[in-house]
Amino acid sequence: MTTTHGLQVRDASNRIIYSTDDVTWNQVDYFFVSGNGSVSQTFSVLSGREVLTLQILIDAPPITRRAIAHTITVNGTTITASGGSENAYILVLMR
Amino acid sequence: MSYGFLALNNNNQILVSSDTRNLHLITKASVPIQTNSSYNYFGGIRSWTYRVTCAVTPVPFFTMPQTTVYLNNLIVRLPTYYGVARISSVNSNTWDIEIISNYTGNYDGTSEYPEVYVFGDPRASTSQETHGLLVYRDDGTASFDSRLRPLAVAGGVSVTHPSNPRPSFPYGLNPQYCGASLADQGGHFSPTSTGNTYTLPSALGQITKPMFCFMSLAQAERRAVYTATEEECDGVELFGNCVGFQRIYTWRSTYWAFYRGGISYTSDITQFNVTANWIVVYFGCRYTYDRASGIIGIGTGNYDTQGGTWPYSNETINLTSNTVIIADASRYD
């Protein structure tokens, strides 16, 4: 697609680095939640936007117990991660 | 937003906002520092650790080299699954990223590693380039920096893994002392689930070098128990009973495999599919051997040995939808 209006960001060689033809997911937060812990965060910037969350386990599953991932819920502008037995990072993205 | 910077893309989605942070390429790792496991049994088991330097928590994308075999004069690609198993902090700026796969190499005996592209918010890097666009948040830290090659996404999908990687077993295994060969154990536990396939917009098929962000969460364990018993009688058998010294030997082997969720893809110019299926990451066996001795039915002692186990049996957990983000790695080479 050729941009006739919008934003084009070019580098010193005049190559397009980024433009309104692109799609991305922007990082809102990347927070830690401990095993058997719970974290709830509210981000006003999520209002009216598409939200995506990813969970990353910090350690490999142990062989001595179940490694339960956290349940992540998105309720309006509030993200909650809870119910898991493992330390994890929660990545919150929006666009 | 009453002040700051906001750019929307053609779909009215946020492209750059001074309220958030774009993800930017921080570093690329082409060779792992460690190969944790490497088996061609069990459908293939590979695990590699990549160590990267990143001042913020990294967001890894990886390429997926495909296993190829030579079959009927054709080079055939086998479904090859990958996932990020863990991201662990080594120290404040150093991270270990573990990638798991069932990749077993190329038909010609060569082998490749996934390439790991590490993205992070722009606080994790700097550039001496004097040309470009910088956007700051209200705290003065960078939100967007065109010099750091911001992430552009090509597509995405939410996937769920099949509930059972191995619904049935094709044959028995040696019940004595976990004595089955790795080849037999591997054939026994290789995933046979067909996977859940998701069709994405065909335009993704034009990506030069797809890379994926996928964090493996789903886990499953399957096990199979085999037993054998023998009796010895040093006296005489009378009406089916031993009169004299008797020994009863019982062997029991519990073979198991532990699976984690992975993704694969197929693409050409007309289609792009992502499939969620299973990768064996650990396997093992627990055995018991019991020798019960007695004389005329009265026990005189026994002996047993055992080893190896997994904390849950024949169960699948974390079977929730899981996000896959796809981008074009060639943009960052």
Side-chain angles (χ1 to χ4, degrees):
Chain A
M1 185 184 298
T2 302
T3 300
T4 56
H5 63 275
L7 175 73
Q8 281 187 343
V9 182
R10 295 173 182 261
D11 66 9
S13 303
N14 204 35
R15 291 175 302 197
I16 297 174
I17 296 297
Y18 223 44
S19 80
T20 39
D21 291 340
D22 287 319
V23 175
T24 195
W25 286 96
N26 278 357
Q27 179 176 316
V28 177
D29 202 1
Y30 207 157
F31 62 84
F32 170 84
V33 56
S34 63
N36 301 310
S38 174
V39 173
S40 190
Q41 304 249 36
T42 298
F43 306 99
S44 59
V45 293
L46 298 181
S47 180
R49 290 292 169 187
E50 193 177 353
V51 180
L52 188 66
T53 60
L54 282 83
Q55 176 173 187
I56 301 102
L57 296 182
I58 294 175
D59 301 303
I63 62 169
T64 53
R65 55 178 168 73
R66 286 176 169 83
I68 305 293
H70 289 277
T71 299
I72 305 173
T73 57
V74 180
N75 185 9
T77 58
T78 300
I79 311 290
T80 302
S82 63
S85 62
E86 305 306 301
N87 294 337
Y89 295 114
I90 309 297
L91 175 62
V92 182
L93 302 170
M94 66 172 281
R95 66 183 184 184
Chain B
M1 174 185 279
S2 56
Y3 62 91
F5 182 88
L6 176 66
L8 303 179
N9 67 8
N10 297 331
N11 302 321
N12 209 34
Q13 299 161 333
I14 290 178
L15 189 68
V16 180
S17 167
S18 55
D19 285 336
T20 63
R21 299 185 199 275
N22 284 70
L23 294 170
H24 300 71
L25 181 69
I26 306 302
T27 187
K28 176 185 169 185
S30 300
V31 179
I33 61 159
Q34 185 177 347
T35 298
N36 311 308
S37 59
S38 179
Y39 295 94
N40 288 346
Y41 306 111
F42 297 86
I45 303 175
R46 292 289 186 283
S47 172
W48 305 279
T49 298
Y50 295 77
R51 181 158 292 176
V52 299
T53 300
C54 184
V56 298
T57 311
V59 181
F61 283 68
F62 53 85
T63 59
M64 297 201 284
Q66 302 289 290
T67 295
T68 57
V69 296
Y70 199 67
L71 193 65
N72 298 329
N73 295 321
L74 292 172
I75 298 169
V76 178
R77 271 176 34 154
L78 300 181
T80 311
Y81 299 92
Y82 289 84
V84 174
R86 66 180 174 93
I87 298 177
S88 306
S89 173
V90 177
N91 58 47
S92 60
N93 289 327
T94 307
W95 303 82
D96 279 350
I97 299 169
E98 184 176 347
I99 308 278
I100 51 174
S101 177
N102 67 338
Y103 176 74
T104 56
N106 294 323
Y107 72 97
D108 58 2
T110 61
S111 187
E112 301 167 59
Y113 296 119
E115 294 175 284
V116 179
Y117 295 76
V118 176
F119 289 81
D121 77 57
R123 292 173 298 177
S125 189
T126 57
S127 172
Q128 300 305 310
E129 172 64 53
T130 56
H131 194 103
L133 173 68
L134 259 165
V135 176
Y136 293 99
R137 291 175 61 111
D138 57 2
D139 63 1
T141 59
S143 163
F144 175 87
D145 188 339
S146 68
R147 304 169 303 171
L148 302 178
R149 293 194 280 181
L151 174 68
V153 168
V157 64
S158 183
V159 303
T160 304
H161 285 77
S163 60
N164 193 340
R166 186 77 205 210
S168 63
F169 299 118
Y171 47 76
L173 294 173
N174 186 345
Q176 294 187 344
Y177 306 110
C178 296
S181 68
L182 280 182
D184 284 347
Q185 293 182 54
H188 198 271
F189 285 104
S190 297
T192 54
S193 51
T194 53
N196 294 332
T197 296
Y198 302 82
T199 299
L200 278 72
S202 59
L204 281 170
Q206 296 168 19
I207 293 178
T208 308
K209 184 180 178 184
M211 64 177 179
F212 301 81
C213 179
F214 171 75
M215 312 300 178
S216 178
L217 291 178
Q219 302 167 26
E221 195 257 20
R222 290 294 174 270
R223 65 178 53 184
V225 182
Y226 297 99
T227 59
T229 302
E230 283 183 17
E231 293 183 18
E232 285 182 349
C233 178
D234 290 342
V236 295
E237 293 273 349
L238 195 61
F239 302 113
N241 295 315
C242 177
V243 179
F245 283 104
Q246 183 189 37
R247 289 171 299 280
I248 300 174
Y249 303 93
T250 304
W251 295 270
R252 179 185 175 95
S253 291
T254 303
Y255 295 89
W256 57 266
F258 179 68
Y259 306 78
R260 294 191 68 179
I263 56 164
S264 182
Y265 80 101
T266 56
S267 75
D268 58 36
I269 199 138
T270 62
Q271 53 93 34
F272 194 102
N273 294 328
V274 171
T275 300
N277 211 344
W278 296 98
I279 304 165
V280 175
V281 290
Y282 305 123
F283 60 89
C285 181
R286 174 190 175 93
Y287 67 84
T288 60
Y289 162 63
D290 183 78
R291 184 184 64 199
S293 303
I295 181 168
I296 323 174
I298 302 171
T300 58
N302 60 17
Y303 167 80
D304 69 87
T305 58
Q306 61 184 32
T309 189
W310 188 261
Y312 53 89
S313 61
N314 293 324
E315 189 179 0
T316 300
I317 62 174
N318 300 336
L319 201 61
T320 56
S321 62
N322 214 345
T323 298
V324 180
I325 303 175
I326 305 162
D328 188 350
S330 67
R331 190 168 171 153
Y332 304 95
D333 284 333

